Amino acid sequence: KQEVTQIPAALSVPEGENLVLNCSFTDSAIYNLQWFRQDPGKGLTSLLLIQSSQREQTSGRLNASLDKSSGRSTLYIAASQPGDSATYLCAVMYTGANSKLTFGKGITLSVRP
Amino acid sequence: DTGVSQNPRHKITKRGQNVTFRCDPISEHNRLYWYRQTLGQGPEFLTYFQNEAQLEKSRLLSDRFSAERPKGSFSTLEIQRTEQGDSAMYLCASSAPRLSSYEQYFGPGTRLTVT
């Protein structure tokens, strides 16, 4: 079964800390992987998309990496701010999946001032 | 480009009633997806369209659910005879593979509460 796992479910850090959010997936036959941000009661905002042929993508203070062989992706957030507090979701598009995304349950991040 | 829009944003209905949600994708996006998200979970795939053709439906989509995308533009998701277990956030997303490598853009969602 193609699954996506995000552990831990919640994380609390002080402002200014660099942090890493982890995502693991069960099948290395992926087309791409997307990281999303979700604020409470809101929709999803796409942060970064990594193609299966890529190793990493960067946008501002965010850097996402992909290691297909080990079935892992990480989202690195530099110099965290209280405004980064949200739930971060990892989603995998498996090859042959008709472009549908399989999501993890998300990591709820709280950045303390 | 105004993004993906969904209406209504919130819907409260009594068990047994029918409800219909609407999604307007980003213009020129030929793929449209519906997902359902319950509290504390990630979104789960329901169905997707390429243009006006519905190409896949999840086993989560019971016979009480129906989705359409007439003329390949907006889409509607109807739930008949709602049950309390249908309470969830219904999310719509769109993509244009030719333009953005299947990157999906999500709308704000419709939160359904069945009482």
Side-chain angles (χ1 to χ4, degrees):
Chain A
K1 184 179 178 184
Q2 294 171 330
E3 294 180 336
V4 177
T5 303
Q6 293 184 259
I7 296 173
L11 189 61
S12 180
V13 301
E15 181 177 4
E17 190 163 300
N18 300 326
L19 58 102
V20 173
L21 306 181
N22 294 306
C23 170
S24 62
F25 45 94
T26 54
D27 187 340
S28 62
I30 73 170
Y31 186 84
N32 65 36
L33 183 147
Q34 267 184 273
W35 281 94
F36 293 90
R37 168 182 173 140
Q38 186 173 33
D39 292 292
K42 306 294 185 182
L44 278 63
T45 300
S46 180
L47 297 174
L48 289 164
L49 178 144
I50 310 179
Q51 298 285 6
S52 63
S53 59
Q54 297 173 324
R55 296 283 293 183
E56 65 179 85
Q57 282 285 347
T58 298
S59 175
R61 295 183 295 111
L62 305 179
N63 175 277
S65 67
L66 175 65
D67 184 343
K68 285 197 306 178
S69 61
S70 65
R72 292 182 182 178
S73 175
T74 62
L75 179 67
Y76 173 83
I77 303 176
S80 59
Q81 303 169 358
D84 295 329
S85 298
T87 296
Y88 291 82
L89 292 149
C90 169
V92 172
M93 184 178 297
Y94 286 104
T95 304
N98 272 335
S99 75
K100 66 176 181 266
L101 293 175
T102 299
F103 283 83
K105 292 184 179 182
I107 298 173
T108 299
L109 172 66
S110 174
V111 180
R112 308 186 301 271
Chain B
D1 183 353
T2 57
V4 178
S5 62
Q6 292 186 246
N7 288 288
R9 296 291 306 278
H10 303 275
K11 179 69 177 180
I12 301 174
T13 190
K14 292 184 177 179
R15 184 166 53 92
Q17 297 295 306
N18 299 343
V19 294
T20 300
F21 310 141
R22 176 179 171 126
C23 170
D24 288 88
I26 294 171
S27 59
E28 299 182 355
H29 279 197
N30 62 340
R31 293 197 176 192
L32 187 148
Y33 314 80
W34 286 98
Y35 295 84
R36 181 171 68 187
Q37 184 179 28
T38 54
L39 199 61
Q41 304 294 315
E44 295 177 292
F45 170 80
L46 292 178
T47 188
Y48 104 95
F49 293 84
Q50 180 164 304
N51 300 313
E52 66 275 8
Q54 187 174 17
L55 297 187
E56 185 172 348
K57 293 195 296 184
S58 163
R59 284 172 291 179
L60 293 175
L61 216 63
S62 75
D63 291 344
R64 297 184 297 105
F65 289 71
S66 63
E68 295 182 341
R69 192 182 182 196
K71 303 179 183 178
S73 55
F74 70 92
S75 175
T76 58
L77 178 67
E78 180 183 17
I79 309 174
Q80 296 181 330
R81 306 180 302 282
T82 52
E83 301 173 355
Q84 288 190 321
D86 297 331
S87 295
M89 175 79 91
Y90 290 83
L91 294 162
C92 176
S94 68
S95 72
R98 183 176 59 81
L99 300 176
S100 61
S101 301
Y102 296 96
E103 183 169 6
Q104 294 187 20
Y105 298 85
F106 281 76
T110 294
R111 178 164 297 283
L112 172 66
T113 301
V114 181
T115 62

